[in-house]
Amino acid sequence: MKTMKSIFLVAVLGLLLMSNTSWAQAEKTYLVTVTKLHWNMDLENFSMDDWKATEKEYLDKVVKKNEFIIGQEFLMHHFTADNTEILLVTTYENWGAIEKAGERDDELVKAAWPDEKARKAFFEKKAQFYARHHSDEIYATIPGAKLPKANFDKDMVYYVRVSHFSYPKDGTEKEFMELNKQYFDAVTNKNDLIKAYYPNRHAWGADNTEFTEVYVVETLADLEKALDKNRELFRATWTDDAKRKAYWDKRNKYDTGVHADYIYKLVHELSK
C-alpha cells in the first residue's frame, strides 16, 4: 500500500534551489513535504495516548527504518485558525527520494505486519484518528538554517511566518541572498532563544510566492523574548537610523508586505 508522503515547511526567486545546511557549504536543496491532516471529530473515546502509541509504532517499524526519509515531525495546532489541524512534516534529499521512500514504506509495512488481516487492522486503527480530507504542500530549503544538534526531547513551540515574494525589476537573486545572510549572521544565529530556524521556499502547491520561516523556541514566553532580542541584535549591527533604513529599504522590496503567523506545538515523541 502507498503511504501518505507530503509537506510543511517556499519561492525565493525564479527556480532557485539552495541548501539549508550552511551559507558556506556547497549549495544543496532538501525537499520538505507538509501534509495538513485533521482530527476525526466524530471519533468517540478519543485518547491522545492511543494516538501517540499508534503513530509511534508506525514510526519505529517504518519511518525510522526508511533510509530515504531524512527526518519527520508531527506539529499540532496551538494558535492557528483551525484547532483540528495536525501537520506531518517530512524531509527528503530530492524528488527521487520521495518516490523511493513510498516504495520502501510498502516493503517495511509488509515486513512489520506480514499477516494481511493484522496489517489491515493496524491501518484501520491508524486511520480512525483522522478526517478523510487532507492537503499537501512541498517546499525547498534555502541557505541560512539554524539546525539543532539532535531531535528535541520536549514539545517545542514552532512559530511559522508565511510571507510572499514580490519580484522587483531592480532586484537580483544575489542581492536577496546576501541581505538574508547579513540578517542571519547578525541576528538569528546569535539569538540563543531561537533553538532552530528553517527558511523554505515554495516548490509545489497552491501559492508559488510563499516564503516560509519557522522559528523554534522552548515556550511562548521565549517567543516574545526572542522577538525582542532580534530587535536588539539588529540595532547592535545596524547602529543608526540611516543604516537600519537603508537595510530595510533593500530587503523589503523583495516582500509584498503581507504575511501570516501560525504557532504549532511539536509532538517530540514522534520525531525521526
Side-chain angles (χ1 to χ4, degrees), residues 23 41 53 57 61 63 70 76 86 92-93 97 131 146 164 169 178 184 191 193-194 216 220 234 268 271:
W23 292 94
M41 303 303 287
E57 183 176 358
K61 292 182 177 180
V63 177
I70 294 175
M76 295 178 60
I86 316 105
Y92 304 90
E93 187 171 5
K146 185 176 184 178
H164 297 270
K169 291 183 179 180
E178 287 176 348
F184 176 82
N191 191 333
L193 291 166
I194 297 174
V216 182
L220 281 175
F234 179 79
H268 78 276
S271 296

Side-chain angles (χ1 to χ4, degrees), residues 24-262:
Q25 294 175 357
E27 295 174 1
K28 181 177 178 60
T29 297
Y30 294 90
L31 294 179
V32 182
T33 66
V34 179
T35 297
K36 182 182 289 187
L37 301 162
H38 298 270
W39 294 119
N40 176 7
M41 303 303 287
D42 296 324
L43 179 63
E44 296 182 2
N45 302 317
F46 170 80
S47 167
M48 183 63 70
D49 289 339
D50 286 347
W51 172 72
K52 286 184 180 180
T54 303
E55 288 294 351
K56 183 69 163 59
E57 183 176 358
Y58 186 81
L59 177 74
D60 291 340
K61 292 182 177 180
V62 179
V63 177
K64 287 186 176 180
K65 294 181 179 181
N66 191 328
E67 64 272 27
F68 299 107
I69 296 175
I70 294 175
Q72 184 168 288
E73 296 174 318
F74 274 96
L75 303 177
M76 295 178 60
H77 153 90
H78 202 56
F79 286 104
T80 70
D82 184 352
N83 70 310
T84 72
E85 66 181 357
I86 316 105
L87 300 183
L88 175 61
V89 184
T90 311
T91 303
Y92 304 90
E93 187 171 5
N94 51 43
W95 289 100
I98 295 177
E99 182 176 355
K100 291 177 182 178
E103 296 171 354
R104 182 64 173 138
D105 272 357
D106 291 345
E107 297 172 357
L108 292 166
V109 163
K110 291 176 181 178
W113 296 274
D115 179 77
E116 187 175 351
K117 289 184 178 179
R119 186 163 65 244
K120 181 180 178 182
F122 175 81
F123 282 97
E124 285 179 348
K125 179 181 179 183
K126 187 173 183 293
Q128 73 174 333
F129 294 105
Y130 305 108
R132 294 180 65 86
H133 66 286
H134 73 275
S135 60
D136 302 309
E137 299 281 342
I138 299 179
Y139 301 94
T141 61
I142 68 171
K146 185 176 184 178
L147 303 176
K149 294 181 180 179
N151 284 344
F152 296 112
D153 60 2
K154 62 180 180 179
D155 293 350
M156 306 290 282
V157 171
Y158 278 48
Y159 164 54
V160 181
R161 179 185 173 100
V162 181
S163 305
H164 297 270
F165 284 110
S166 62
Y167 302 92
K169 291 183 179 180
D170 62 342
T172 66
E173 173 190 310
K174 182 174 182 291
E175 181 182 54
F176 174 82
M177 300 307 295
E178 287 176 348
L179 291 167
N180 269 16
K181 183 181 186 303
Q182 289 172 23
Y183 189 89
F184 176 82
D185 290 343
V187 180
T188 309
N189 203 36
K190 292 183 178 180
N191 191 333
D192 57 354
L193 291 166
I194 297 174
K195 304 306 180 182
Y197 168 73
Y198 308 103
N200 302 276
R201 67 169 187 85
H202 165 274
W204 180 88
D207 187 347
N208 72 320
T209 71
E210 281 190 343
F211 174 51
T212 296
E213 299 171 276
V214 182
Y215 296 84
V216 182
V217 296
E218 292 189 2
T219 65
L220 281 175
D222 281 351
L223 176 57
E224 184 174 0
K225 293 175 184 176
L227 296 176
D228 288 340
K229 189 165 185 178
N230 276 355
R231 286 187 281 270
E232 294 175 7
L233 290 167
F234 179 79
R235 294 176 71 87
T237 299
W238 289 270
T239 53
D240 59 57
D241 288 341
K243 291 178 181 178
R244 290 191 283 271
K245 184 178 185 301
Y247 175 84
W248 286 122
D249 283 348
K250 289 182 179 180
R251 176 60 182 83
N252 287 342
K253 71 183 180 183
Y254 292 99
D255 286 335
T256 64
V258 176
H259 77 272
D261 303 299
Y262 309 86

